[in-house]
Amino acid sequence: MSVITYRQALRDTLRAEMHRDENVFLMGEEIGVFEGSYKITEGLLKEFGERRVRDTPIAEEGFVGAAIGAAMLGLRPVVEIMTINFSLIAIDQIINHAAKIYGMFGGQTSVPMVIRTPGGGGQQLGATHSQNIELFYSFVPGLKVLAPSTPAEAAAMLRAAIRDDDPVLFLENLGLYNSKGEVPEGDETVAEIGRAAVTREGTDITLIGYSRMAMVAGQVAEALAAEGISVEVVDLRSLRPLDRQTIVESVCKTGSAVIAEDDWLTYGIGAEIAASIQEGAFDYLDAPVRRVAMAEVPMPYAKPLESAALPSVESITTAVKETLNAVGRRVG
Amino acid sequence: MSNNTAQKQPELVQLLTPEGELRRHPDYPIDISAEEMRGLYRDLVLVRRVDTEAVALQRQGELGLWASLLGQEAAQIGSGRALRPGDMAFPSYREHGVAWCRGIRPRQLLSMFRGVSNGGWDPHEYGFHLYSIVIASQTLHATGYAMGVQRDGALGADGTAVICYFGDGATSQGDTSEAFNFAAVNNAPVVFFCQNNQWAISEPPERQARVPLYRRAAGFGFPGVRIDGNDVLASLAVTRAALQHAREGQGPMLIEAFTYRMGAHTTNDDPSRYRVSAELEEWRSKDPIERVRTHLTNEGIADDAFFAEVDAEAESIGERVRRECRELPDPDPLDIFHEVYAEPNGHIDRQRADFADYLASFEDADAEGVR
């Protein structure tokens, strides 16, 4: 067992997958000579050469479209979009082509590609560079959207994404790259796509998150345990397909739920989770489902304003306590 | 081309004049046998007949939509016959003539326009991809595919080349410019074949570009050439040269086939709302089929019996297309859940099961739950 960063887990996995399968190659802006804006691809150009690690011009629609063509030839492109914000430029190729080619071409050709891209605020990157727009892709049949929160998950899920025959949007998070976790030495687990995980068992309330918010949810649960509150944490891990069963089973057990999400509240991922809970656990609910999300404003650049806009340990803790109070359990 | 005041029209490569006379071109010599000439004539006539039939079938409610190739037969047959079996073509949605050359049967095309199948053929089997409906998206797919061919080392005198078809309208999309640039900087083995049919639905050329389209290539650093798109020999010779250029690793080329969409954009369009009949008449005098017939007659390499035979074959194909179209079976409603994902997917399976239960709930449902 070794403790490594989320960044290292991604890099190790890319490297191992490139050794495993000659058809896997990387493409994106700044990933070669510069070794990636966030250094996920550090060392890979040196090791694999330009044939396997392709630097591209600043043209997201272009290289995502070209990757789709390469995937139709039978290659397995792993594309890096520097941040999810820039995927907006490629959204036609992702939603109208990557997601639909298999169906519109009558199953004649699949598109086995991965788009790796980080979301996340909190880095003072301003309104156009701090968004969490994974919802756009989670909405679309034909795509799969994965959002791991720990280094071990990141490795197992990236492995699964690369080996999958469908297009996968693999969501990373700027706030997770330096986070650390245990990854077993020589681990070759391939995650099952579409499974959430109960990462902490509890009995009083279910706290649901994904990506960075799953990590924050763990911190909230840990702190509340000291106050005698038993929080069950569900890490969604996969936004499409969504594991409704794990969510519903947890809420049936605890009777209440809070959802923590890094996107905007209205029409957000949390709305879909709340609907799923209503459909599957209506008779078990002792209080309304609460959502804690970003303030519905373009992300401010000023640090204090950005912090105010983002969900935090404090705001999630407050929502958990208010929900438990609504249930009738006085928790201060 | 009545209103283009942007500048004088440039020279185009023409090997067979509208009067049916052969012309030599220093860069694009062509050596073609009488039999090949007759074969090209047959192709041109038969695809026009298939196209005419498809328009009629749409008018009769048998097809949801049809995008007619009328007037563009020479551009498509010439370039289509330039392809080798191992080459790959990425079409837009009007390339019925290229499909014909690749061995796709009309029935396979009609199954898509009738809406009973999403994919009528295996693109790798025919070296012909499925139709792309979104404008210009396939320029990037073709480029990425060509980069993959290059990566696999499948170049050389007997290597693989990729050809991408699009119209003048697609040149206004960013995808096309990005594809040109990617292909250029990577020296990808792709031929960009632009059929400039003078109308992007209702937009004329002067509202789309200030310079002739073939000159775009120079700005990206690869050769571009304009051909008489109604001249099947120019299309054949120049495409053959461009494909060879690509397959030997010399990079992309742009061919602008200067032609004319004699019909509507699609069966949903009425061109009389935006263009004048005199323009159509002018292009009718440059018809891509008539000049081949004149040439065959003047040179004495085809007689009346040959023309009668081709006409009879066309009639028979028209009849067959009509019959086969009507015989295409409707798909099962549950098919909507097929082919959403290549891998098994529980969410889709649950939706399918729910919908099957719903269908089975009707009194007139059959044993499989389908009404």
Side-chain angles (χ1 to χ4, degrees):
Chain A
M1 193 73 81
S2 60
V3 175
I4 60 172
T5 61
Y6 190 98
R7 171 184 287 112
Q8 181 76 41
L10 291 171
R11 184 189 304 142
D12 291 351
T13 307
L14 284 175
R15 189 169 168 272
E17 288 298 298
M18 290 175 78
H19 276 297
R20 184 188 62 81
D21 183 353
E22 162 75 13
N23 285 328
V24 175
F25 75 99
L26 313 183
M27 188 152 72
E29 295 159 0
E30 312 295 344
I31 64 166
V33 176
F34 191 68
E35 304 191 306
S37 287
Y38 298 101
K39 298 292 174 268
I40 309 302
T41 53
E42 191 174 61
L44 297 182
L45 174 64
K46 279 197 195 89
E47 184 170 351
F48 293 97
E50 279 189 31
R51 183 163 172 271
R52 308 284 301 278
V53 181
R54 303 295 291 258
D55 268 326
T56 68
I58 305 172
E60 285 80 4
E61 177 86 346
F63 64 75
V64 170
I68 292 169
M72 291 197 285
L73 177 70
L75 300 178
R76 291 189 174 263
V78 181
V79 169
E80 177 175 304
I81 296 182
M82 196 182 291
T83 76
I84 198 169
N85 305 281
F86 312 145
S87 74
L88 291 171
I89 299 153
I91 205 163
D92 176 65
Q93 285 291 345
I94 300 171
I95 291 183
N96 269 335
H97 302 284
K100 300 196 176 79
I101 278 173
Y102 186 70
M104 287 194 72
F105 291 1
Q108 299 283 6
T109 178
S110 66
V111 182
M113 71 184 291
V114 179
I115 298 172
R116 290 182 35 249
T117 188
Q123 317 290 318
Q124 275 199 281
L125 294 173
T128 58
H129 286 52
S130 304
Q131 301 169 96
N132 290 289
I133 49 174
E134 55 274 15
L135 170 68
F136 299 175
Y137 305 106
S138 306
F139 186 55
V140 179
L143 290 179
K144 294 173 180 175
V145 180
L146 307 184
S149 69
T150 68
E153 267 179 22
M157 296 180 79
L158 184 56
R159 236 173 255 128
I162 291 172
R163 298 179 194 189
D164 198 272
D165 280 340
D166 290 306
V168 177
L169 187 108
F170 189 89
L171 181 72
E172 300 165 7
N173 192 292
L174 300 180
L176 287 175
Y177 281 147
N178 287 332
S179 65
K180 290 183 177 174
E182 289 184 344
V183 179
E185 304 267 5
D187 184 36
E188 294 201 2
T189 307
V190 180
E192 185 186 344
I193 290 177
R195 300 297 287 173
V198 175
T199 50
R200 182 188 181 102
E201 294 202 7
T203 52
D204 293 336
I205 189 166
T206 300
L207 180 55
I208 301 159
Y210 65 92
S211 193
R212 189 179 76 92
M213 279 297 115
M215 179 185 76
V216 174
Q219 294 165 351
V220 169
E222 183 69 28
L224 287 173
E227 298 179 35
I229 299 170
S230 172
V231 177
E232 177 147 305
V233 177
V234 175
D235 179 354
L236 294 176
R237 306 201 303 180
S238 171
L239 301 178
R240 187 175 195 95
L242 180 65
D243 182 0
R244 290 184 167 81
Q245 190 184 345
T246 297
I247 298 166
V248 165
E249 281 173 6
S250 176
V251 176
C252 287
K253 183 173 87 173
T254 63
S256 60
V258 171
I259 302 153
E261 52 186 320
D262 244 344
D263 60 348
W264 291 303
L265 185 86
T266 304
Y267 302 106
I269 301 275
E272 179 59 31
I273 310 295
S276 301
I277 293 171
Q278 182 272 132
E279 285 163 6
F282 182 77
D283 289 334
Y284 296 82
L285 279 175
D286 297 324
V289 175
R290 273 287 292 272
R291 291 174 289 159
V292 185
M294 247 170 61
E296 295 199 59
V297 298
M299 182 66 83
Y301 171 70
K303 191 68 189 168
L305 299 182
E306 183 181 41
S307 300
L310 286 167
S312 62
V313 169
E314 294 72 27
S315 63
I316 298 165
T317 302
T318 302
V320 168
K321 287 184 173 176
E322 286 175 357
T323 301
L324 286 172
N325 284 333
V327 170
R329 217 189 116 172
R330 309 249 48 103
V331 292
Chain B
M1 282 317 303
S2 47
N3 299 325
N4 192 340
T5 52
Q7 62 186 83
K8 194 165 157 279
Q9 288 302 322
E11 282 297 304
L12 36 68
V13 176
Q14 187 183 67
L15 303 181
L16 184 66
T17 68
E19 294 74 35
E21 287 164 16
L22 281 182
R23 275 194 191 165
R24 297 286 158 197
H25 192 284
D27 300 331
Y28 302 102
I30 188 160
D31 183 21
I32 191 156
S33 70
E35 192 185 343
E36 285 172 303
M37 270 313 283
R38 286 192 295 267
L40 291 173
Y41 175 80
R42 176 179 170 271
D43 285 337
L44 292 165
V45 170
L46 298 188
V47 294
R48 180 172 286 185
R49 185 64 187 86
V50 170
D51 186 76
T52 306
E53 192 59 42
V55 172
L57 284 165
Q58 195 281 336
R59 293 290 181 241
Q60 293 160 19
E62 298 289 344
L63 296 178
L65 181 81
W66 184 253
S68 171
L69 62 44
L70 189 65
Q72 298 174 226
E73 295 88 349
Q76 296 191 14
I77 295 297
S79 60
R81 288 296 176 208
L83 290 163
R84 291 185 187 169
D87 293 338
M88 177 59 91
F90 281 79
S92 71
Y93 45 76
R94 204 188 296 282
E95 275 66 66
H96 321 313
V98 187
W100 171 268
C101 296
R102 301 306 272 165
I104 308 283
R105 291 182 293 280
R107 168 164 54 84
Q108 292 170 288
L109 288 178
L110 295 187
S111 73
M112 292 199 297
F113 283 91
R114 190 174 169 90
V116 301
S117 161
N118 282 339
W121 59 87
D122 174 354
H124 295 282
E125 182 187 341
Y126 292 92
F128 186 76
H129 240 280
L130 289 121
Y131 280 3
S132 184
I133 303 299
V134 175
I135 302 299
S137 60
Q138 77 279 11
T139 59
L140 286 166
H141 303 160
T143 300
Y145 192 98
M147 287 166 67
V149 167
Q150 183 182 38
R151 174 195 182 281
D152 288 348
L155 296 181
D158 297 319
T160 300
V162 179
I163 190 167
C164 182
Y165 289 90
F166 53 100
D168 46 296
T171 63
S172 297
Q173 286 279 14
D175 283 27
T176 303
S177 290
E178 293 186 30
F180 284 2
N181 197 42
F182 271 68
V185 297
N186 291 293
N187 217 39
V190 57
V191 174
F192 294 107
F193 194 97
C194 175
Q195 291 167 83
N196 179 355
N197 68 15
Q198 313 302 325
W199 291 96
I201 308 187
S202 67
E203 286 287 291
E206 63 268 25
R207 292 183 63 95
Q208 299 185 59
R210 288 296 294 268
V211 298
L213 298 176
Y214 78 95
R215 276 172 49 190
R216 295 268 177 97
F220 290 96
F222 57 91
V225 59
R226 177 181 279 188
I227 64 169
D228 177 351
N230 285 13
D231 170 2
V232 69
L233 295 185
S235 179
L236 176 68
V238 176
T239 308
R240 199 178 264 164
L243 288 167
Q244 200 58 18
H245 181 265
R247 84 174 85 247
E248 286 174 358
Q250 298 177 64
M253 254 184 85
L254 170 63
I255 299 170
E256 179 192 2
F258 204 74
T259 180
Y260 191 74
R261 194 192 77 209
M262 292 175 79
H265 166 64
T266 70
T267 45
N268 286 344
D269 172 41
D270 172 12
S272 70
R273 292 165 60 99
Y274 52 80
R275 67 186 190 190
V276 296
S277 56
E279 183 181 284
L280 184 61
E281 285 313 311
E282 184 192 332
W283 278 92
R284 232 189 268 282
S285 70
K286 303 177 196 166
D287 186 87
I289 301 183
E290 212 41 51
R291 68 179 74 182
V292 181
R293 190 183 171 111
T294 306
H295 175 76
L296 289 171
T297 306
N298 291 352
E299 297 297 314
I301 51 182
D303 54 16
D304 287 348
F306 168 76
F307 294 124
E309 188 186 313
V310 173
D311 288 346
E313 188 179 4
E315 274 322 294
S316 141
I317 282 182
E319 188 279 325
R320 195 181 77 212
V321 165
R322 195 157 56 240
R323 176 168 41 80
E324 287 180 346
C325 178
R326 290 180 175 143
E327 285 171 3
L328 288 167
D330 279 344
D332 183 317
L334 289 171
D335 284 356
I336 61 172
F337 300 104
H338 287 178
E339 294 147 7
V340 180
Y341 292 96
E343 302 259 359
N345 189 287
H347 183 60
I348 296 292
D349 292 345
R350 279 188 296 279
Q351 284 191 71
R352 188 180 194 283
D354 286 350
F355 192 53
D357 287 346
Y358 167 74
L359 292 176
S361 72
F362 291 93
E363 279 185 11
D364 54 350
D366 68 18
E368 268 124 37
V370 177
R371 290 209 290 164

